[in-house]
Amino acid sequence: MKEQNQSFTVAIGFMLFALFFGAGNLIFPVMMGQMSGINSWEANAGFIVTGVGLPLLGVLAFGFSGKSDLHSLASRVHPVFGVVFTTVLYLAIGPLFAIPRTGSVSYEVGVKPLLGNTDSALPLLFFTIVFFTITCFFSLNASKIVDVVGKILTPLLLIFIAILIAIAIFKPMGDFSAPTESYMSNSFFKGFQEGYLTMDTLASFVFGIIVINAIKERGATTKKALMKGCLKAGTIAAGLLAIIYTALTYIGASSVEQLGYLENGGAVLAGVSTHYFGSFGGLLLGLIVIAACLTTSIGLVSACASYFHKMVPKVSYKLFAIILSLFSAIIANVGLNELIAISVPVLYAIYPLAICLIFLTFTHPLFKGNSEVYIVSLSLTFLISLFDGLNAAGIEIEAVNQLFSVLPLYSVGLGWLVPAIVGAFIGYGFSLTRKAKPEEVVE
């Protein structure tokens, strides 16, 4: 194979970071810092597991599996599961939640503070039209994504963020406050679930394809070379994410003394920028947010348009990109708080499935790809996570909660973990009772 160019690997790593680092990556860590106070380091550790570690594993899982897309990977469970899970995931990280959120967060954090008090819906409408027009343009020119995102926008984004972080660290706004009620105990697990809101583990199934294809185009022909390229690029992205998440958590935790408790991470970021830079802070923050959200939006529209075009070949990629951009612009006008509230129950329900699928992918050779292992493990996982989602939506079924309360870690949102592991062993036991030839293992 051709020797991987180091500068190309760095560009891919920056591109992957930029694709991951979007709306939620800015607003959720800083808000978590405010809420967790003196327990922020513990909460941040949990956030990094789901916001950094799992997305990196998701990218590596594709290289390890040898599959070309999420649909083929998820079809190891069952063909029907492959279609349903893949479609739900693309809708979640696409036009229903993640793509519209990039536009609404960009406006709420980067533009609205500069406009002063206004109840008019016209500025948001105008901004989302411009934002998603730009998104659509770059999505229609997908070949430019590595150059534009990896080599131009990402370095600028990092410079903007570094300025704010450096000043906040060397000149802190105040001491850490006491944690709020939700972070008084089990801060690690609370932070773990907050990491769900970034949707990065779900997105890793999509962005992993972009990275793998880019590495293959540079000459990687063996599984070892592919994994090596993925690991290098993924490590760059993961390292940057971990540093920035930790810094944003610190900023949030040290801001309470000056700002008080604010309603969302966007308001916290705006307050911090104003505190340090005055009116210039709004402009700096706007550049950070819009650049971060725009790069993520471009990547998501490109990935979703490719998937839906593959599912419905009669509709062109370009038409899907236009439809997704237009639909996302409309949904973005619903409002940031509403989007987050609606997404939480869905994420609580499907995130454990994604986590389980990642680990089953890495252990695939150990159980020789027997579908029973996937089916039983994921079924028990979803049985628990479904009710976690219902609880998050305020639909609590007391009898079910009492029954599941005997499960380890159920009270901290990880009740699905033991059933997932036990289900894998039960599934493997079932597979031993049949003589059908298992799926061929990808070396």
Side-chain angles (χ1 to χ4, degrees):
M1 59 164 268
K2 297 178 182 179
E3 188 67 26
Q4 290 296 311
N5 187 287
Q6 185 175 357
S7 63
F8 176 78
T9 300
V10 172
I12 293 294
F14 278 146
M15 180 192 73
L16 184 59
F17 161 78
L19 292 174
F20 277 132
F21 193 75
N25 311 71
L26 280 167
I27 64 176
F28 294 123
V30 73
M31 190 63 191
M32 181 181 67
Q34 269 221 334
M35 303 297 286
S36 57
I38 58 175
N39 291 338
S40 60
W41 301 126
E42 183 180 350
N44 181 66
F47 190 92
I48 286 178
V49 171
T50 45
V52 178
L54 289 176
L56 174 59
L57 289 177
V59 172
L60 292 175
F62 259 108
F64 184 81
S65 70
K67 296 296 185 179
S68 60
D69 54 40
L70 175 59
H71 179 264
S72 60
L73 179 62
S75 293
R76 283 177 166 178
V77 185
H78 189 277
V80 174
F81 178 85
V83 173
V84 174
F85 179 76
T86 305
T87 301
V88 169
L89 185 144
Y90 271 94
L91 288 173
I93 67 170
L96 294 184
F97 303 136
I99 299 177
R101 192 172 71 182
T102 61
S104 59
V105 169
S106 293
Y107 174 77
E108 291 287 340
V109 182
V111 176
K112 189 175 180 180
L114 304 178
L115 300 178
N117 295 326
T118 176
D119 295 327
S120 174
L122 291 179
L124 174 60
L125 177 61
F126 176 77
F127 175 81
T128 52
I129 290 174
V130 174
F131 182 90
F132 286 106
T133 297
I134 296 173
T135 293
C136 187
F137 171 78
F138 282 109
S139 298
L140 294 176
N141 295 274
S143 62
K144 297 181 180 179
I145 194 169
V146 172
D147 290 333
V148 174
V149 176
K151 297 181 180 179
I152 300 176
L153 291 181
T154 302
L156 289 175
L157 171 61
L158 289 176
I159 291 172
F160 295 147
I161 295 175
I163 293 172
L164 181 61
I165 289 176
I167 294 178
I169 291 176
F170 288 106
K171 191 179 179 182
M173 297 178 67
D175 297 326
F176 288 12
S177 61
T180 58
E181 183 177 356
S182 59
Y183 283 93
M184 285 184 178
S185 60
N186 299 316
S187 296
F188 175 86
F189 295 108
K190 179 63 176 175
F192 185 96
Q193 288 188 303
E194 284 294 300
Y196 288 4
L197 301 179
T198 67
M199 303 190 198
D200 281 350
T201 301
L202 303 182
S204 69
F205 287 110
V206 177
F207 296 153
I209 302 171
I210 299 175
V211 172
I212 289 170
N213 289 339
I215 295 174
K216 284 182 177 179
E217 289 176 1
R218 278 296 178 117
T221 57
T222 65
K223 182 177 179 179
K224 180 179 179 181
L226 193 61
M227 288 294 292
K228 185 178 180 180
C230 287
L231 182 60
K232 287 182 178 180
T235 300
I236 292 172
L240 289 171
L241 287 171
I243 292 171
I244 291 175
Y245 288 160
T246 302
L248 288 173
T249 301
Y250 170 82
I251 289 174
S254 62
S255 68
V256 176
E257 191 173 307
Q258 286 286 337
L259 304 180
Y261 291 103
L262 302 181
E263 60 180 357
N264 58 61
V268 177
L269 286 172
V272 171
S273 293
T274 301
H275 173 80
Y276 286 114
F277 302 111
S279 59
F280 177 71
L283 177 61
L284 177 64
L285 182 64
L287 291 173
I288 293 173
V289 172
I290 293 173
C293 294
L294 188 59
T295 54
T296 299
S297 180
I298 294 167
L300 289 175
V301 169
S302 299
C304 291
S306 296
Y307 170 71
F308 290 119
H309 170 60
K310 186 175 181 180
M311 294 295 292
V312 189
K314 292 183 178 180
V315 181
S316 69
Y317 165 87
K318 290 187 176 181
L319 181 56
F320 268 123
I322 294 171
I323 292 174
L324 289 171
S325 299
L326 177 61
F327 184 82
S328 297
I330 295 172
I331 298 299
N333 283 268
V334 170
L336 177 59
N337 291 337
E338 289 76 8
L339 281 173
I340 294 176
I342 295 172
S343 67
V344 168
V346 177
L347 295 177
Y348 276 34
I350 66 175
Y351 232 89
L353 291 175
I355 297 172
C356 189
L357 183 59
I358 288 174
F359 283 97
L360 287 176
T361 297
F362 284 115
T363 57
H364 182 87
L366 298 179
F367 56 85
K368 300 179 180 179
N370 288 293
S371 61
E372 290 91 342
V373 175
Y374 284 99
I375 292 173
V376 180
S377 180
L378 287 165
S379 294
L380 293 182
T381 298
F382 185 61
L383 177 64
I384 309 302
S385 67
L386 174 61
F387 287 98
D388 285 338
L390 291 175
N391 288 334
I395 306 174
E396 299 184 8
I397 304 176
E398 191 61 31
V400 174
N401 287 331
Q402 289 182 353
L403 177 64
F404 289 165
S405 64
V406 301
L407 294 171
L409 302 177
Y410 182 72
S411 62
V412 294
L414 292 175
W416 54 268
L417 184 58
V418 171
I421 297 172
V422 172
F425 282 102
I426 293 175
Y428 186 67
F430 285 158
S431 71
L432 296 177
T433 65
R434 66 174 176 84
K435 297 181 180 180
K437 184 179 179 180
E439 179 187 346
E440 182 181 353
V441 179
V442 178
E443 297 296 338

